[in-house]
């Protein structure tokens, strides 16, 4: 079975059968991270610090995606940019679209840009970055948008998780507990949704009816206060089913001193890794673990685990 064919239940079964996971001391990641509060893109290599770099950005970014050709796509407050990872050169910029929050590259070369403007306005661009069409979801706002295997969109607004299509039609709405804030959602292979719950600092798994069937992390967790958990933002599902989640701690440059910046949970909900370097970085809101990811090709997480788009 291919790695993107693994179901969430199969991954849980692997854990129950005793397949070991690495301890925090054994885990060494390579990753890209968006530093919102200091306006930076970071590359961290925990096995070889000589390869690390920090790119100062002229505007703040939120969403990020590896789009092939060793480039990363970043959303901006009024559009999106592409940077070359080898020399950190800005190679493309599209701007003029107020409220930019999230940008995603599709397999056919189109780009989807979600903006908080008159609700959520969705812009489509062709592979040459020319405007094609737009759609509007009124009465909502969002942070990051993700695609589903069905070609629809998932996005949060407050404690609501919405699914819509590219014409601006709402298809489904599910609710997180009151006070949660749906930052990012992914559809799992069994049809459930995995949602980062914002200020509840929990990951929620919802079934098709919106029932919470599983939570990871959160303020009830014993380590929440020690770690300084504040807001669960962007996340990634790894090949082994572990979850890597950004813990955003505030807009100020020094807010990263308040808590760890990135955490990783295994399938049993146990903390197995964390990253905290407040001297180097501020509040992190987006991450890509690069260990098993090829930046030479387009990658997406529509099928839950980040990987190449075929």
């Amino acid at each position: 079975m291919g790695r993107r064919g693994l179901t969430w239940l199969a991954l849980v079964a692997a854990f129950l059968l005793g397949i070991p996971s690495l301890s925090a001391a054994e885990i060494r990641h390579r990753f890209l991270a968006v530093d919102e509060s200091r306006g930076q893109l970071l590359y961290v290599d925990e096995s070889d610090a000589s390869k690390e770099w920090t790119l100062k950005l002229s505007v703040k970014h939120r969403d990020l995606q590896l789009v092939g050709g060793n480039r990363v796509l970043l959303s901006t407050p009024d559009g999106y940019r592409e940077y070359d990872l080898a020399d950190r050169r800005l190679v493309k910029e599209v701007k003029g679209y107020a409220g930019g929050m999230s940008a995603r590259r599709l397999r056919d070369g189109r780009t989807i840009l979600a903006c908080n403007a008159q609700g959520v306005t969705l812009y489509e661009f062709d592979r040459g970055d020319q405007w094609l069409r737009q759609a509007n979801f009124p009465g909502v706002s969002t942070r990051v948008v993700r695609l589903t295997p069905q070609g629809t969109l998932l996005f949060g607004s407050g404690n609501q998780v919405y699914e819509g299509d590219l014409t601006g039609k709402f298809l489904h709405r599910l609710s997180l507990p009151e006070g949660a804030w749906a930052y990012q959602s992914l559809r799992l292979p069994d049809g459930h949704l995995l949602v980062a719950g914002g200020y509840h600092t929990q990951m929620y798994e919802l079934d098709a009816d919106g029932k919470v069937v599983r939570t990871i992390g959160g303020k009830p967790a014993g380590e929440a206060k020690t770690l300084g958990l504040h807001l669960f933002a962007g996340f990634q599902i790894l090949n082994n089913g572990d979850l890597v989640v950004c813990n955003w701690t505030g807009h100020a440059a020094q807010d990263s001193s308040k808590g760890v910046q990135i955490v990783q949970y295994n399938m049993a909900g146990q903390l197995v890794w964390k990253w905290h370097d407040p001297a180097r970085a501020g509040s992190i809101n987006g991450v890509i673990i690069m260990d098993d990811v090829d930046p030479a090709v387009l990658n997406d997480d529509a099928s839950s685990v980040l990987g190449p788009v075929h």
Side-chain angles (χ1 to χ4, degrees), residues 43-115:
Y43 176 70
V44 176
D45 187 333
E46 294 188 300
S47 296
D48 188 351
S50 68
K51 296 179 179 179
E52 298 183 343
W53 48 261
T54 300
L55 174 63
K56 298 290 186 179
L57 304 168
S58 60
V59 296
K60 291 187 177 182
H61 299 261
R62 183 180 302 277
D63 202 5
L64 73 169
Q65 181 187 13
L66 295 172
V67 293
N70 206 37
R71 294 181 178 185
V72 62
L73 173 71
L74 297 174
S75 63
T76 72
D78 70 342
Y80 57 89
R81 293 178 173 182
E82 284 185 28
Y83 291 91
D84 188 290
L85 292 174
D87 57 17
R88 275 78 75 191
R89 179 173 48 94
L90 175 64
V91 294
K92 181 186 293 187
E93 182 174 21
V94 172
K95 57 185 179 179
Y97 300 88
M101 287 283 137
S102 184
R104 307 305 294 171
R105 180 67 43 77
L106 308 185
R107 72 176 65 197
D108 61 7
R110 285 179 297 146
T111 302
I112 302 295
L113 174 67
C115 299

Side-chain angles (χ1 to χ4, degrees), residues 19 21 48-49 53 78 93 96 102 126 135 143 155 162 179 197 230-231 275 279 288 298:
I19 298 176
S21 61
D48 188 351
W53 48 261
D78 70 342
E93 182 174 21
S102 184
D126 66 18
R143 289 301 177 265
F155 59 95
Y162 292 92
H230 181 69
L231 184 149
W275 185 78
I288 297 177
L298 174 65

Side-chain angles (χ1 to χ4, degrees), residues 8-9 186-194 205-208 213:
W8 188 250
L9 291 176
L186 288 177
R187 175 156 289 152
L188 303 174
D190 62 3
H192 290 188
L193 294 185
L194 190 64
E205 183 179 349
L206 308 178
D207 67 16
V213 297

Side-chain angles (χ1 to χ4, degrees), residues 231-278:
L231 184 149
F232 274 8
F235 70 90
Q236 179 182 343
I237 303 175
L238 304 185
N239 288 337
N240 65 354
D242 284 9
L243 301 176
V244 175
V245 189
C246 299
N247 176 46
W248 183 87
T249 49
H251 291 293
Q254 303 306 319
D255 279 344
S256 53
S257 63
K258 298 177 180 178
V260 297
Q261 291 144 306
I262 310 173
V263 292
Q264 179 176 336
Y265 295 97
N266 65 19
M267 289 173 287
Q270 299 167 326
L271 183 75
V272 296
W273 174 85
K274 61 184 182 293
W275 185 78
H276 192 205
D277 190 345

Side-chain angles (χ1 to χ4, degrees), residues 155-195:
F155 59 95
S157 182
N159 73 325
Q160 305 295 302
V161 182
Y162 292 92
E163 183 174 0
D165 65 20
L166 295 180
T167 71
K169 181 180 178 181
F170 289 105
L171 301 175
H172 302 289
R173 183 184 71 175
L174 301 175
S175 297
L176 297 181
E178 192 68 30
W181 197 57
Y183 191 100
Q184 177 186 334
S185 305
L186 288 177
R187 175 156 289 152
L188 303 174
D190 62 3
H192 290 188
L193 294 185
L194 190 64
V195 186

Side-chain angles (χ1 to χ4, degrees), residues 112 118-124 133-140 151-153 155 162-172:
I112 302 295
Q118 299 179 333
V120 174
T121 298
L122 196 71
Y123 298 97
E124 285 186 64
R133 62 187 67 88
Q134 66 192 63
N136 180 257
F137 297 92
V140 296
T152 57
L153 302 163
F155 59 95
Y162 292 92
E163 183 174 0
D165 65 20
L166 295 180
T167 71
K169 181 180 178 181
F170 289 105
L171 301 175
H172 302 289

